[in-house]
Amino acid sequence: MNSMIKRNQDLFGGLMENLWNDSNWFKPELTSKFSMPAVNIKNSENEFEIELAAPGLKKEDFNIEVEENVLKLSVNKTAENLEEKENYTRKEFSYFNFQRSFALPKDLVDTENVQATYADGILKVLLPKQKELKESVKKITVQ
């Protein structure tokens, strides 16, 4: 009986030692690459277009707001997987979140008509430019 316990302790201890010493088990440099999705920004005559690479999500996962000339894109997604068998239960959690903010040119973007679509892992946000720009310089006459 004692030899069985000793063998299990050695086995478990060896597994834990291998887990912590395995250089491939946890690499912060790999996980940090996935925390902030890549972004392309295009500036055309009539609009700005932002493309954000975020595969594996649903359109409902995105929160998009424009507040005081700042476009805020964020995702806060959690998932849980539960597998129950006769002799074990496995419960896994995953979390994915990020937030990106973009300062918009003042009085240049028509914030009332911003549109967003999500397809093939790419979020596209179209920011139409104002048709008539508000005057940025106001002439004041001295009286």
Side-chain angles (χ1 to χ4, degrees), residues 96-139:
F96 179 74
N97 60 40
F98 71 87
Q99 180 175 357
R100 296 288 309 252
S101 297
F102 303 91
L104 303 176
K106 190 173 183 176
D107 299 329
L108 185 59
V109 175
D110 180 3
T111 57
E112 298 298 318
N113 292 304
V114 174
Q115 297 177 355
T117 57
Y118 181 69
D120 300 325
I122 304 293
L123 175 70
K124 287 186 183 182
V125 181
L126 299 176
L127 302 142
K129 294 181 179 178
Q130 298 273 2
K131 296 204 185 328
E132 294 181 26
L133 295 177
K134 298 176 184 173
E135 282 190 42
S136 59
V137 176
K138 181 179 177 183
K139 177 115 174 123

Short mmCIF file of all heavy atoms in Angstrom, two decimals, residues 96-139:
data_model
loop_
_atom_site.label_atom_id
_atom_site.label_comp_id
_atom_site.label_asym_id
_atom_site.label_seq_id
_atom_site.Cartn_x
_atom_site.Cartn_y
_atom_site.Cartn_z
N PHE A 96 -11.94 36.32 -23.40
CA PHE A 96 -11.35 37.11 -24.47
C PHE A 96 -11.92 38.51 -24.36
O PHE A 96 -13.13 38.69 -24.40
CB PHE A 96 -11.69 36.51 -25.84
CG PHE A 96 -11.13 37.30 -26.99
CD1 PHE A 96 -9.78 37.26 -27.29
CD2 PHE A 96 -11.95 38.08 -27.77
CE1 PHE A 96 -9.26 37.98 -28.35
CE2 PHE A 96 -11.45 38.82 -28.84
CZ PHE A 96 -10.09 38.76 -29.12
N ASN A 97 -11.05 39.47 -24.14
CA ASN A 97 -11.54 40.85 -24.12
C ASN A 97 -10.46 41.80 -24.62
O ASN A 97 -9.28 41.50 -24.55
CB ASN A 97 -12.03 41.25 -22.72
CG ASN A 97 -10.97 41.16 -21.67
OD1 ASN A 97 -9.83 41.51 -21.90
ND2 ASN A 97 -11.33 40.66 -20.51
N PHE A 98 -10.92 42.89 -25.16
CA PHE A 98 -10.03 43.96 -25.59
C PHE A 98 -10.85 45.22 -25.75
O PHE A 98 -12.09 45.19 -25.80
CB PHE A 98 -9.31 43.62 -26.90
CG PHE A 98 -10.22 43.63 -28.11
CD1 PHE A 98 -10.47 44.79 -28.81
CD2 PHE A 98 -10.82 42.45 -28.54
CE1 PHE A 98 -11.31 44.79 -29.92
CE2 PHE A 98 -11.65 42.44 -29.64
CZ PHE A 98 -11.89 43.61 -30.33
N GLN A 99 -10.15 46.33 -25.81
CA GLN A 99 -10.79 47.61 -26.09
C GLN A 99 -9.81 48.43 -26.92
O GLN A 99 -8.63 48.50 -26.60
CB GLN A 99 -11.15 48.37 -24.83
CG GLN A 99 -11.82 49.69 -25.14
CD GLN A 99 -12.29 50.44 -23.89
OE1 GLN A 99 -12.17 49.94 -22.79
NE2 GLN A 99 -12.81 51.61 -24.09
N ARG A 100 -10.31 49.00 -28.00
CA ARG A 100 -9.53 49.91 -28.84
C ARG A 100 -10.31 51.21 -28.94
O ARG A 100 -11.52 51.21 -29.09
CB ARG A 100 -9.34 49.36 -30.26
CG ARG A 100 -8.55 48.09 -30.42
CD ARG A 100 -7.05 48.21 -30.20
NE ARG A 100 -6.36 49.24 -30.93
CZ ARG A 100 -5.54 49.03 -31.95
NH1 ARG A 100 -5.35 47.82 -32.40
NH2 ARG A 100 -4.91 50.02 -32.52
N SER A 101 -9.60 52.31 -28.87
CA SER A 101 -10.21 53.63 -28.99
C SER A 101 -9.49 54.40 -30.08
O SER A 101 -8.26 54.30 -30.21
CB SER A 101 -10.12 54.40 -27.67
OG SER A 101 -10.85 53.73 -26.67
N PHE A 102 -10.27 55.15 -30.85
CA PHE A 102 -9.72 55.93 -31.95
C PHE A 102 -10.26 57.36 -31.85
O PHE A 102 -11.47 57.56 -31.84
CB PHE A 102 -10.13 55.33 -33.31
CG PHE A 102 -9.71 53.90 -33.46
CD1 PHE A 102 -10.56 52.87 -33.10
CD2 PHE A 102 -8.46 53.59 -33.97
CE1 PHE A 102 -10.18 51.55 -33.24
CE2 PHE A 102 -8.07 52.26 -34.12
CZ PHE A 102 -8.93 51.24 -33.74
N ALA A 103 -9.36 58.32 -31.79
CA ALA A 103 -9.77 59.72 -31.78
C ALA A 103 -10.20 60.10 -33.19
O ALA A 103 -9.48 59.85 -34.16
CB ALA A 103 -8.62 60.61 -31.32
N LEU A 104 -11.39 60.65 -33.32
CA LEU A 104 -11.92 61.04 -34.62
C LEU A 104 -11.65 62.52 -34.85
O LEU A 104 -11.72 63.32 -33.91
CB LEU A 104 -13.42 60.77 -34.67
CG LEU A 104 -13.86 59.33 -34.39
CD1 LEU A 104 -15.37 59.23 -34.38
CD2 LEU A 104 -13.26 58.39 -35.42
N PRO A 105 -11.38 62.89 -36.10
CA PRO A 105 -11.19 64.31 -36.39
C PRO A 105 -12.46 65.09 -36.03
O PRO A 105 -13.56 64.72 -36.43
CB PRO A 105 -10.94 64.35 -37.89
CG PRO A 105 -10.58 62.95 -38.27
CD PRO A 105 -11.24 62.07 -37.28
N LYS A 106 -12.28 66.13 -35.26
CA LYS A 106 -13.43 66.91 -34.80
C LYS A 106 -14.19 67.52 -35.97
O LYS A 106 -13.59 68.08 -36.88
CB LYS A 106 -12.95 68.02 -33.85
CG LYS A 106 -14.08 68.71 -33.14
CD LYS A 106 -13.58 69.67 -32.10
CE LYS A 106 -14.78 70.27 -31.40
NZ LYS A 106 -14.40 71.14 -30.33
N ASP A 107 -15.50 67.35 -35.94
CA ASP A 107 -16.42 67.90 -36.93
C ASP A 107 -16.23 67.36 -38.34
O ASP A 107 -16.77 67.89 -39.28
CB ASP A 107 -16.34 69.44 -36.98
CG ASP A 107 -16.71 70.08 -35.65
OD1 ASP A 107 -17.54 69.49 -34.93
OD2 ASP A 107 -16.15 71.14 -35.32
N LEU A 108 -15.45 66.29 -38.50
CA LEU A 108 -15.24 65.73 -39.83
C LEU A 108 -16.07 64.47 -40.05
O LEU A 108 -16.48 64.18 -41.17
CB LEU A 108 -13.75 65.42 -40.04
CG LEU A 108 -13.35 64.94 -41.43
CD1 LEU A 108 -13.72 65.97 -42.50
CD2 LEU A 108 -11.87 64.65 -41.49
N VAL A 109 -16.38 63.72 -38.98
CA VAL A 109 -17.11 62.46 -39.10
C VAL A 109 -18.58 62.68 -38.77
O VAL A 109 -18.93 63.31 -37.78
CB VAL A 109 -16.51 61.39 -38.16
CG1 VAL A 109 -17.34 60.12 -38.18
CG2 VAL A 109 -15.07 61.09 -38.55
N ASP A 110 -19.43 62.12 -39.61
CA ASP A 110 -20.88 62.14 -39.37
C ASP A 110 -21.21 61.00 -38.40
O ASP A 110 -21.51 59.89 -38.81
CB ASP A 110 -21.61 61.96 -40.70
CG ASP A 110 -23.12 61.98 -40.56
OD1 ASP A 110 -23.63 62.18 -39.43
OD2 ASP A 110 -23.80 61.77 -41.58
N THR A 111 -21.13 61.28 -37.12
CA THR A 111 -21.28 60.24 -36.10
C THR A 111 -22.69 59.64 -36.04
O THR A 111 -22.89 58.57 -35.49
CB THR A 111 -20.89 60.76 -34.71
OG1 THR A 111 -21.69 61.90 -34.40
CG2 THR A 111 -19.42 61.15 -34.67
N GLU A 112 -23.66 60.31 -36.63
CA GLU A 112 -25.03 59.80 -36.64
C GLU A 112 -25.23 58.67 -37.66
O GLU A 112 -26.21 57.94 -37.59
CB GLU A 112 -26.02 60.94 -36.96
CG GLU A 112 -26.03 62.05 -35.94
CD GLU A 112 -26.48 61.56 -34.56
OE1 GLU A 112 -27.43 60.76 -34.49
OE2 GLU A 112 -25.86 61.98 -33.57
N ASN A 113 -24.30 58.51 -38.58
CA ASN A 113 -24.46 57.52 -39.65
C ASN A 113 -23.33 56.49 -39.71
O ASN A 113 -23.05 55.94 -40.77
CB ASN A 113 -24.61 58.23 -40.99
CG ASN A 113 -25.92 59.00 -41.06
OD1 ASN A 113 -26.98 58.42 -40.88
ND2 ASN A 113 -25.83 60.30 -41.27
N VAL A 114 -22.71 56.23 -38.58
CA VAL A 114 -21.66 55.21 -38.52
C VAL A 114 -22.30 53.84 -38.71
O VAL A 114 -23.38 53.56 -38.16
CB VAL A 114 -20.90 55.28 -37.18
CG1 VAL A 114 -19.91 54.14 -37.04
CG2 VAL A 114 -20.21 56.63 -37.03
N GLN A 115 -21.66 52.97 -39.50
CA GLN A 115 -22.18 51.62 -39.75
C GLN A 115 -21.09 50.60 -39.45
O GLN A 115 -19.90 50.88 -39.65
CB GLN A 115 -22.62 51.47 -41.20
CG GLN A 115 -23.75 52.38 -41.59
CD GLN A 115 -24.09 52.24 -43.06
OE1 GLN A 115 -23.41 51.54 -43.81
NE2 GLN A 115 -25.14 52.91 -43.48
N ALA A 116 -21.52 49.41 -39.02
CA ALA A 116 -20.56 48.34 -38.74
C ALA A 116 -21.11 47.02 -39.28
O ALA A 116 -22.30 46.75 -39.20
CB ALA A 116 -20.32 48.23 -37.25
N THR A 117 -20.21 46.21 -39.85
CA THR A 117 -20.55 44.86 -40.31
C THR A 117 -19.46 43.91 -39.83
O THR A 117 -18.31 44.31 -39.63
CB THR A 117 -20.64 44.79 -41.85
OG1 THR A 117 -19.40 45.20 -42.41
CG2 THR A 117 -21.77 45.66 -42.37
N TYR A 118 -19.85 42.64 -39.67
CA TYR A 118 -18.89 41.62 -39.27
C TYR A 118 -19.07 40.40 -40.15
O TYR A 118 -20.16 39.84 -40.22
CB TYR A 118 -19.10 41.25 -37.80
CG TYR A 118 -18.13 40.21 -37.29
CD1 TYR A 118 -16.78 40.50 -37.14
CD2 TYR A 118 -18.56 38.94 -36.97
CE1 TYR A 118 -15.89 39.55 -36.69
CE2 TYR A 118 -17.67 37.97 -36.51
CZ TYR A 118 -16.34 38.29 -36.36
OH TYR A 118 -15.46 37.34 -35.91
N ALA A 119 -18.02 40.03 -40.86
CA ALA A 119 -18.06 38.85 -41.74
C ALA A 119 -16.66 38.28 -41.89
O ALA A 119 -15.68 39.04 -41.96
CB ALA A 119 -18.62 39.24 -43.11
N ASP A 120 -16.57 36.96 -41.92
CA ASP A 120 -15.31 36.26 -42.14
C ASP A 120 -14.21 36.69 -41.17
O ASP A 120 -13.04 36.81 -41.55
CB ASP A 120 -14.83 36.44 -43.58
CG ASP A 120 -15.83 35.89 -44.59
OD1 ASP A 120 -16.48 34.87 -44.29
OD2 ASP A 120 -15.97 36.50 -45.67
N GLY A 121 -14.59 36.98 -39.92
CA GLY A 121 -13.61 37.33 -38.90
C GLY A 121 -13.12 38.75 -38.94
O GLY A 121 -12.20 39.11 -38.21
N ILE A 122 -13.73 39.59 -39.79
CA ILE A 122 -13.31 40.99 -39.91
C ILE A 122 -14.47 41.91 -39.55
O ILE A 122 -15.55 41.82 -40.13
CB ILE A 122 -12.84 41.33 -41.35
CG1 ILE A 122 -11.72 40.41 -41.80
CG2 ILE A 122 -12.43 42.79 -41.46
CD1 ILE A 122 -10.42 40.57 -41.06
N LEU A 123 -14.24 42.78 -38.58
CA LEU A 123 -15.21 43.83 -38.24
C LEU A 123 -14.86 45.05 -39.08
O LEU A 123 -13.71 45.51 -39.06
CB LEU A 123 -15.14 44.17 -36.76
CG LEU A 123 -16.01 45.34 -36.31
CD1 LEU A 123 -17.49 44.96 -36.36
CD2 LEU A 123 -15.63 45.82 -34.93
N LYS A 124 -15.84 45.57 -39.84
CA LYS A 124 -15.64 46.79 -40.62
C LYS A 124 -16.54 47.87 -40.06
O LYS A 124 -17.74 47.68 -39.92
CB LYS A 124 -15.99 46.57 -42.10
CG LYS A 124 -14.98 45.75 -42.84
CD LYS A 124 -15.31 45.69 -44.32
CE LYS A 124 -14.30 44.80 -45.02
NZ LYS A 124 -14.54 44.76 -46.46
N VAL A 125 -15.94 49.00 -39.75
CA VAL A 125 -16.68 50.16 -39.27
C VAL A 125 -16.48 51.27 -40.29
O VAL A 125 -15.35 51.66 -40.59
CB VAL A 125 -16.19 50.61 -37.87
CG1 VAL A 125 -16.99 51.80 -37.39
CG2 VAL A 125 -16.28 49.46 -36.87
N LEU A 126 -17.61 51.75 -40.84
CA LEU A 126 -17.58 52.84 -41.82
C LEU A 126 -17.98 54.12 -41.12
O LEU A 126 -19.06 54.21 -40.53
CB LEU A 126 -18.50 52.55 -42.99
CG LEU A 126 -18.18 51.28 -43.79
CD1 LEU A 126 -19.24 51.06 -44.87
CD2 LEU A 126 -16.80 51.38 -44.40
N LEU A 127 -17.12 55.12 -41.22
CA LEU A 127 -17.35 56.42 -40.60
C LEU A 127 -17.46 57.46 -41.71
O LEU A 127 -16.44 57.95 -42.21
CB LEU A 127 -16.19 56.77 -39.66
CG LEU A 127 -15.95 55.74 -38.56
CD1 LEU A 127 -14.48 55.56 -38.30
CD2 LEU A 127 -16.68 56.16 -37.31
N PRO A 128 -18.69 57.77 -42.13
CA PRO A 128 -18.84 58.73 -43.23
C PRO A 128 -18.39 60.13 -42.82
O PRO A 128 -18.56 60.53 -41.66
CB PRO A 128 -20.33 58.70 -43.54
CG PRO A 128 -20.98 58.15 -42.32
CD PRO A 128 -19.97 57.30 -41.62
N LYS A 129 -17.82 60.83 -43.77
CA LYS A 129 -17.40 62.20 -43.51
C LYS A 129 -18.59 63.13 -43.68
O LYS A 129 -19.50 62.86 -44.45
CB LYS A 129 -16.27 62.59 -44.45
CG LYS A 129 -15.00 61.79 -44.20
CD LYS A 129 -13.90 62.22 -45.13
CE LYS A 129 -12.64 61.42 -44.85
NZ LYS A 129 -11.55 61.76 -45.78
N GLN A 130 -18.58 64.23 -42.95
CA GLN A 130 -19.64 65.23 -43.05
C GLN A 130 -19.67 65.77 -44.48
O GLN A 130 -18.63 66.03 -45.07
CB GLN A 130 -19.38 66.42 -42.10
CG GLN A 130 -19.35 66.06 -40.65
CD GLN A 130 -20.72 66.10 -40.01
OE1 GLN A 130 -21.73 66.36 -40.65
NE2 GLN A 130 -20.75 65.84 -38.72
N LYS A 131 -20.87 65.92 -45.02
CA LYS A 131 -20.99 66.48 -46.36
C LYS A 131 -20.66 67.96 -46.35
O LYS A 131 -19.99 68.48 -47.22
CB LYS A 131 -22.39 66.24 -46.91
CG LYS A 131 -22.69 64.75 -47.08
CD LYS A 131 -23.75 64.52 -48.10
CE LYS A 131 -24.18 63.10 -48.26
NZ LYS A 131 -23.27 62.05 -48.07
N GLU A 132 -21.12 68.63 -45.34
CA GLU A 132 -20.81 70.04 -45.17
C GLU A 132 -20.05 70.19 -43.87
O GLU A 132 -20.58 69.91 -42.80
CB GLU A 132 -22.09 70.89 -45.12
CG GLU A 132 -22.86 70.91 -46.42
CD GLU A 132 -24.10 71.78 -46.32
OE1 GLU A 132 -24.12 72.71 -45.50
OE2 GLU A 132 -25.04 71.52 -47.07
N LEU A 133 -18.82 70.60 -44.00
CA LEU A 133 -18.02 70.78 -42.80
C LEU A 133 -18.45 72.03 -42.06
O LEU A 133 -18.72 73.07 -42.67
CB LEU A 133 -16.54 70.88 -43.15
CG LEU A 133 -15.91 69.63 -43.76
CD1 LEU A 133 -14.46 69.91 -44.13
CD2 LEU A 133 -15.99 68.48 -42.78
N LYS A 134 -18.49 71.90 -40.76
CA LYS A 134 -18.75 73.08 -39.95
C LYS A 134 -17.54 73.98 -40.05
O LYS A 134 -16.41 73.51 -40.12
CB LYS A 134 -18.99 72.68 -38.49
CG LYS A 134 -20.19 71.78 -38.31
CD LYS A 134 -20.31 71.35 -36.87
CE LYS A 134 -21.45 70.36 -36.71
NZ LYS A 134 -21.50 69.80 -35.36
N GLU A 135 -17.79 75.26 -40.06
CA GLU A 135 -16.67 76.18 -40.17
C GLU A 135 -15.79 76.05 -38.94
O GLU A 135 -16.25 76.14 -37.82
CB GLU A 135 -17.17 77.63 -40.29
CG GLU A 135 -17.66 77.97 -41.67
CD GLU A 135 -17.91 79.46 -41.81
OE1 GLU A 135 -17.10 80.26 -41.31
OE2 GLU A 135 -18.94 79.81 -42.39
N SER A 136 -14.50 75.81 -39.19
CA SER A 136 -13.58 75.70 -38.06
C SER A 136 -13.05 77.06 -37.63
O SER A 136 -12.55 77.22 -36.54
CB SER A 136 -12.42 74.76 -38.41
OG SER A 136 -11.74 75.26 -39.54
N VAL A 137 -13.19 78.04 -38.53
CA VAL A 137 -12.76 79.39 -38.19
C VAL A 137 -13.99 80.29 -38.26
O VAL A 137 -14.70 80.31 -39.26
CB VAL A 137 -11.67 79.90 -39.16
CG1 VAL A 137 -11.30 81.33 -38.85
CG2 VAL A 137 -10.47 78.99 -39.13
N LYS A 138 -14.22 80.98 -37.21
CA LYS A 138 -15.33 81.91 -37.18
C LYS A 138 -14.77 83.31 -37.09
O LYS A 138 -13.98 83.63 -36.21
CB LYS A 138 -16.22 81.62 -35.97
CG LYS A 138 -17.42 82.51 -35.88
CD LYS A 138 -18.27 82.16 -34.69
CE LYS A 138 -19.42 83.11 -34.58
NZ LYS A 138 -20.23 82.86 -33.40
N LYS A 139 -15.17 84.15 -38.05
CA LYS A 139 -14.69 85.53 -38.08
C LYS A 139 -15.48 86.37 -37.09
O LYS A 139 -16.72 86.31 -37.05
CB LYS A 139 -14.88 86.09 -39.49
CG LYS A 139 -14.48 87.52 -39.62
CD LYS A 139 -13.32 87.64 -40.53
CE LYS A 139 -13.03 89.09 -40.77
NZ LYS A 139 -11.70 89.43 -40.40
#
